[in-house]
């Protein structure tokens, strides 16, 4: 079974067939990471309830936590008004970032005026 | 003055010279929208304190709220662990979405198992 055709028809993919997925902790609101999905990754995420993405660097699907144990249990997925971005609400086990930080945005705050 | 060279050196841009920027309400944690920045948009955001992006569809810079009044006052900007995504924390005046919704993710929740 591929991705639901009604959903697939609304997706606006980039030149590589991908859509950015913002991953957010469902209860605290923390933005954990940004990853990328193609139709199949979205289908797997929706049908398995596990955050599943396309790795642009490795050229393969990855299920978050399969290596690290830092699983993402999916609570909801929304498509934005333009159909070109996904918001994935998850319950993140442990650290979302491969550095060991809770989120991928913890380490590098840029200066503001 | 262009973007601080130390920041520019850490940015990993896509083929179009752009980096996705996740825009989040700083106090409630709502994910408001995803937009795109090049070096100049990031420079303007950091130096003016107003959310400023590159419109891929119109091919021009836009300062959020200049047309709608729905201004974004920037509270902080973080670069992620890979240097290829920005998180922009803002205080959003009114609706972030051009549809009038508070966020661009309010309208289209996809089914889950």
């Amino acid at each position: 079974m591929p991705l639901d055709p009604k959903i697939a028809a609304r997706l606006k993919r980039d030149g590589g067939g991908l859509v950015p997925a913002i991953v957010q902790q469902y209860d605290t609101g923390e933005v954990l990471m940004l990853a990328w999905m193609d139709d199949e990754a979205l289908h797997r995420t929706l049908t398995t309830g596990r955050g599943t993405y396309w790795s642009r660097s490795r050229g393969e699907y990855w299920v978050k936590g399969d290596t690290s144990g830092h699983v993402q249990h999916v609570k909801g997925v929304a498509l934005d008004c333009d159909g070109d971005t996904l918001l994935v609400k998850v319950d993140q086990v442990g650290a979302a970032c491969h550095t060991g930080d809770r989120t991928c945005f913890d380490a590098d705050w840029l200066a503001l005026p």
Side-chain angles (χ1 to χ4, degrees), chain A:
Chain A
M1 278 285 288
L3 180 64
D4 179 340
K6 289 178 198 158
I7 296 173
R10 298 208 300 280
L11 277 186
K12 287 186 197 152
R13 305 158 195 82
D14 69 12
L18 301 174
V19 174
I22 301 166
V23 187
Q24 182 182 34
Q25 175 66 27
Y26 81 104
D27 50 0
T28 64
E30 292 162 292
V31 174
L32 299 169
M33 54 186 256
L34 184 102
W36 295 82
M37 289 188 180
D38 64 2
D39 287 38
E40 176 65 21
L42 177 56
H43 176 64
R44 294 186 192 182
T45 295
L46 290 169
T47 54
T48 67
R50 290 277 305 277
T52 305
Y53 309 100
W54 177 257
S55 169
R56 298 182 301 171
S57 55
R58 297 193 304 274
E60 62 183 21
Y61 295 103
W62 57 289
V63 182
K64 178 73 181 171
D66 265 4
T67 305
S68 63
H70 296 165
V71 173
Q72 290 173 346
H73 299 288
V74 177
K75 298 285 188 175
V77 181
L79 191 59
D80 81 342
C81 56
D82 295 324
D84 64 5
T85 304
L86 292 159
L87 177 64
V88 184
K89 296 213 178 200
V90 304
D91 193 10
Q92 170 73 55
V93 176
C97 190
H98 71 284
T99 62
D101 284 341
R102 171 69 177 169
T103 92
C104 292
F105 301 95
D106 288 352
D108 194 5
W109 286 88
L110 309 177
L112 274 180

mmCIF file of all heavy atoms in Angstrom, chain A residues 6-7 26 34 37 41 60 66 72 78 84 90:
data_model
loop_
_atom_site.group_PDB
_atom_site.id
_atom_site.type_symbol
_atom_site.label_atom_id
_atom_site.label_comp_id
_atom_site.label_asym_id
_atom_site.label_seq_id
_atom_site.Cartn_x
_atom_site.Cartn_y
_atom_site.Cartn_z
ATOM 1 N N LYS A 6 -5.189 10.664 -1.640
ATOM 2 C CA LYS A 6 -5.747 11.985 -1.300
ATOM 3 C C LYS A 6 -4.706 12.867 -0.619
ATOM 4 O O LYS A 6 -4.700 14.075 -0.781
ATOM 5 C CB LYS A 6 -6.964 11.830 -0.384
ATOM 6 C CG LYS A 6 -8.187 11.262 -1.081
ATOM 7 C CD LYS A 6 -9.340 11.101 -0.105
ATOM 8 C CE LYS A 6 -10.399 10.155 -0.642
ATOM 9 N NZ LYS A 6 -11.237 9.580 0.422
ATOM 10 N N ILE A 7 -3.844 12.225 0.186
ATOM 11 C CA ILE A 7 -2.762 12.978 0.824
ATOM 12 C C ILE A 7 -1.675 13.274 -0.203
ATOM 13 O O ILE A 7 -1.188 14.409 -0.305
ATOM 14 C CB ILE A 7 -2.187 12.193 2.019
ATOM 15 C CG1 ILE A 7 -3.252 12.025 3.103
ATOM 16 C CG2 ILE A 7 -0.938 12.878 2.566
ATOM 17 C CD1 ILE A 7 -2.848 11.125 4.255
ATOM 18 N N TYR A 26 5.219 16.834 21.546
ATOM 19 C CA TYR A 26 3.790 17.168 21.504
ATOM 20 C C TYR A 26 3.311 17.921 22.737
ATOM 21 O O TYR A 26 2.370 18.704 22.649
ATOM 22 C CB TYR A 26 2.951 15.893 21.321
ATOM 23 C CG TYR A 26 2.722 15.103 22.589
ATOM 24 C CD1 TYR A 26 1.499 15.139 23.247
ATOM 25 C CD2 TYR A 26 3.734 14.333 23.146
ATOM 26 C CE1 TYR A 26 1.299 14.420 24.409
ATOM 27 C CE2 TYR A 26 3.542 13.613 24.306
ATOM 28 C CZ TYR A 26 2.318 13.664 24.947
ATOM 29 O OH TYR A 26 2.127 12.962 26.103
ATOM 30 N N LEU A 34 14.631 19.050 12.372
ATOM 31 C CA LEU A 34 14.001 19.074 11.056
ATOM 32 C C LEU A 34 14.526 17.879 10.273
ATOM 33 O O LEU A 34 15.730 17.607 10.278
ATOM 34 C CB LEU A 34 14.318 20.363 10.301
ATOM 35 C CG LEU A 34 13.577 20.452 8.966
ATOM 36 C CD1 LEU A 34 12.377 21.393 9.099
ATOM 37 C CD2 LEU A 34 14.456 20.964 7.838
ATOM 38 N N MET A 37 10.950 14.046 4.387
ATOM 39 C CA MET A 37 10.118 12.892 4.041
ATOM 40 C C MET A 37 9.808 12.891 2.549
ATOM 41 O O MET A 37 9.517 13.944 1.976
ATOM 42 C CB MET A 37 8.776 12.939 4.774
ATOM 43 C CG MET A 37 8.852 12.676 6.261
ATOM 44 S SD MET A 37 7.173 12.532 6.927
ATOM 45 C CE MET A 37 7.534 12.236 8.655
ATOM 46 N N ALA A 41 8.155 7.698 3.201
ATOM 47 C CA ALA A 41 8.471 7.985 4.606
ATOM 48 C C ALA A 41 7.227 8.487 5.340
ATOM 49 O O ALA A 41 6.974 8.106 6.493
ATOM 50 C CB ALA A 41 9.599 9.005 4.695
ATOM 51 N N GLU A 60 18.860 6.862 2.242
ATOM 52 C CA GLU A 60 18.058 5.710 2.694
ATOM 53 C C GLU A 60 17.036 6.167 3.728
ATOM 54 O O GLU A 60 17.166 7.235 4.317
ATOM 55 C CB GLU A 60 18.966 4.634 3.296
ATOM 56 C CG GLU A 60 19.735 5.102 4.530
ATOM 57 C CD GLU A 60 20.690 4.053 5.089
ATOM 58 O OE1 GLU A 60 21.060 3.141 4.339
ATOM 59 O OE2 GLU A 60 21.056 4.162 6.282
ATOM 60 N N ASP A 66 16.006 3.641 15.819
ATOM 61 C CA ASP A 66 16.374 2.247 15.538
ATOM 62 C C ASP A 66 17.820 1.965 15.947
ATOM 63 O O ASP A 66 18.139 0.862 16.393
ATOM 64 C CB ASP A 66 16.195 1.922 14.048
ATOM 65 C CG ASP A 66 14.842 1.294 13.767
ATOM 66 O OD1 ASP A 66 14.026 1.181 14.707
ATOM 67 O OD2 ASP A 66 14.593 0.921 12.597
ATOM 68 N N GLN A 72 10.770 8.007 18.374
ATOM 69 C CA GLN A 72 9.718 9.030 18.318
ATOM 70 C C GLN A 72 8.365 8.360 18.100
ATOM 71 O O GLN A 72 8.114 7.799 17.033
ATOM 72 C CB GLN A 72 9.993 10.007 17.169
ATOM 73 C CG GLN A 72 11.189 10.905 17.434
ATOM 74 C CD GLN A 72 11.571 11.755 16.242
ATOM 75 O OE1 GLN A 72 11.121 11.515 15.128
ATOM 76 N NE2 GLN A 72 12.402 12.753 16.484
ATOM 77 N N ALA A 78 0.534 17.170 10.652
ATOM 78 C CA ALA A 78 -0.242 18.191 9.936
ATOM 79 C C ALA A 78 0.512 18.643 8.699
ATOM 80 O O ALA A 78 1.745 18.706 8.691
ATOM 81 C CB ALA A 78 -0.507 19.393 10.842
ATOM 82 N N ASP A 84 3.512 22.181 1.495
ATOM 83 C CA ASP A 84 4.928 21.892 1.242
ATOM 84 C C ASP A 84 5.765 21.710 2.504
ATOM 85 O O ASP A 84 6.997 21.647 2.417
ATOM 86 C CB ASP A 84 5.549 22.950 0.320
ATOM 87 C CG ASP A 84 5.558 24.338 0.940
ATOM 88 O OD1 ASP A 84 5.182 24.499 2.108
ATOM 89 O OD2 ASP A 84 5.962 25.278 0.231
ATOM 90 N N VAL A 90 5.420 14.491 18.194
ATOM 91 C CA VAL A 90 5.887 13.189 18.684
ATOM 92 C C VAL A 90 6.076 13.216 20.187
ATOM 93 O O VAL A 90 6.164 14.274 20.806
ATOM 94 C CB VAL A 90 7.237 12.800 18.034
ATOM 95 C CG1 VAL A 90 7.141 12.809 16.508
ATOM 96 C CG2 VAL A 90 8.372 13.702 18.512
#
